[in-house]
Amino acid sequence: MELIIYPTNRLIDYATTDSEQTGRQKMEYKNISLAFEGEIGILMINRPKSLNALNIETLKDIQMGIQEVKEHPEVKVLILTGAGEKAFVAGADITEMKGMNSLQAVQFSKLGHLTLRMIQDLDRPVIAAVNGFALGGGTEIALACDFIYASENARFGLPEVTLGIFPGFGGTQRLPRLIGKGKAKELILTGKTISAEEASQMGIVNRVFPQDSLMGETKKVATQIVANGAIGVRLAKMVMDTGFNMDLEEACTLESYAFGIGFATEDQKEGMTAFVEKRKPNFKGR
Ligand code: CAA
């Protein structure tokens, strides 16, 4: 039995039998599942009895899940979703938060931030497939993804003020950056929830699908991304995220250097040769 220490200081047991059989180490999670379908990873938050609410254990499971994806370079896109048909994530776990003192609340918020940051910083696109309630921490974790698709029954909102608190997993920061301060303040200060369609009109959600086709449609888009040069996709994500908080001139300089790195790859040669030869490129991700 091998023990590995992760940044969360949690010790993880690896199932030796799985690793012996497959050559890969199989992680064991309590509140998430992680599946690999070819080059697409699917991380499902799985606590349906609590509508997939984010307690400490679940946040740590998500961190380990992201870490596992990092260890699988063949995975080119990650889809983040929730178990069941009712909820994506109904927020941070209120029963766990109820008894927290200030210091514990700071630590809980920081744990949420670290977890969402790991999602945001994953060097591959992450698509949120929001299949039901995405409230509080649910909207916040979706906002940490690169973009959001939703089912028709999904509902979004940051209802924390109705609990006597306010959003603590980045909602006060990521939402204004995405939709502007005025619209974000309206949502956060009223605590009202909105439909997937309204979220789409506000620019929170990219596309809305009937619930039974959400995963299929999300996988189709993931497959489109997978077919592209993986290094170009990663660089584009990095430049967009890093450049977003820089002034335009510095961000464009960053873009130029990252653009140049793309020309040191086999994929650039293959992509442009394939265009000239009028055939489909066969990208290798190197
Ligand atoms: N935390 C803990 N448990 C939760 C939960 C949450 N956020 N949301 C739902 N649950 C539990 C319920 O307590 C209930 O458990 P029991 O069956 O043991 O009673 C179960 O999930 C089913 O929920 P409901 O019976 O309430 O289902 P409903 O269909 O009547 O309502 C809902 C669904 C509208 C999503 C409602 O559950 C709800 O309002 N949930 C809380 C939403 C919320 O306020 N989220 C913000 C949390 S605070 C936060 O996220 C802070 C932050 O930024 C870090």
Side-chain angles (χ1 to χ4, degrees):
M1 176 108 63
E2 190 184 352
L3 288 173
I4 294 184
I5 300 175
Y6 273 80
T8 52
N9 291 331
R10 178 164 162 180
L11 294 175
I12 303 151
D13 288 346
Y14 282 87
T16 43
T17 46
D18 278 343
S19 63
E20 278 156 17
Q21 280 164 11
T22 63
R24 275 183 186 175
Q25 289 169 323
K26 176 103 180 107
M27 300 283 288
E28 288 189 5
Y29 303 104
K30 194 151 178 254
N31 297 323
I32 67 159
S33 66
L34 182 60
F36 298 117
E37 293 184 11
E39 294 171 300
I40 301 172
I42 300 169
L43 195 159
M44 182 179 282
I45 299 167
N46 189 9
R47 282 185 83 210
K49 279 188 184 158
S50 304
L51 302 185
N52 306 324
L54 300 172
N55 61 358
I56 292 171
E57 199 169 45
T58 306
L59 290 166
K60 288 184 176 176
D61 268 2
I62 295 168
Q63 289 189 9
M64 290 191 293
I66 296 293
Q67 185 62 37
E68 188 178 350
V69 173
K70 282 187 189 169
E71 287 160 14
H72 288 270
E74 76 280 8
V75 173
K76 305 274 179 6
V77 176
L78 181 67
I79 298 172
L80 180 71
T81 193
E85 298 194 337
K86 191 168 171 183
F88 170 68
V89 168
D93 191 306
I94 298 167
T95 51
E96 197 175 66
M97 276 187 301
K98 186 172 168 283
M100 285 181 186
N101 62 31
S102 287
L103 191 57
Q104 288 165 334
V106 170
Q107 285 168 344
F108 185 58
S109 171
K110 284 187 171 178
L111 178 66
H113 281 301
L114 180 62
T115 310
L116 270 55
R117 191 76 209 194
M118 285 179 72
I119 294 169
Q120 182 179 308
D121 288 348
L122 186 68
D123 60 354
R124 286 149 254 182
V126 185
I127 308 173
V130 174
N131 54 310
F133 287 111
L135 302 180
T139 285
E140 291 173 298
I141 198 168
L143 289 172
C145 298
D146 292 298
F147 53 88
I148 303 173
Y149 290 154
S151 56
E152 285 165 347
N153 65 318
R155 288 199 73 79
F156 292 81
L158 292 158
E160 284 88 344
V161 289
T162 68
L163 296 166
I165 57 168
F166 69 92
F169 287 175
T172 62
Q173 303 309 311
R174 286 195 180 89
L175 192 60
R177 282 168 169 76
L178 184 66
I179 63 173
K181 254 202 285 187
K183 284 183 195 156
K185 281 181 178 169
E186 186 185 341
L187 275 183
I188 290 171
L189 303 183
T190 59
K192 71 175 180 182
T193 65
I194 55 171
S195 67
E197 198 46 55
E198 287 171 284
S200 166
Q201 282 161 16
M202 284 179 123
I204 297 171
V205 164
N206 279 19
R207 289 166 73 185
V208 181
F209 299 104
Q211 184 162 38
D212 58 3
S213 55
L214 173 67
M215 274 312 276
E217 294 294 333
T218 306
K219 283 180 195 172
K220 269 191 215 164
V221 173
T223 304
Q224 257 182 301
I225 297 173
V226 161
N228 296 326
I231 297 173
V233 168
R234 288 177 194 197
L235 287 171
K237 171 174 170 166
M238 183 278 288
V239 169
M240 282 189 275
D241 282 339
T242 310
F244 196 79
N245 296 321
M246 295 164 80
D247 72 42
L248 185 62
E249 209 178 315
E250 285 174 0
C252 286
T253 303
L254 174 73
E255 186 192 64
S256 294
Y257 283 98
F259 184 71
I261 289 170
F263 282 71
T265 66
E266 287 178 29
D267 280 355
Q268 176 264 332
K269 286 162 191 61
E270 169 61 12
M272 295 191 177
T273 305
F275 176 82
V276 171
E277 292 175 355
K278 301 192 187 305
R279 61 172 173 83
K280 276 194 167 176
N282 178 18
F283 291 121
K284 298 271 169 42
R286 53 179 190 247

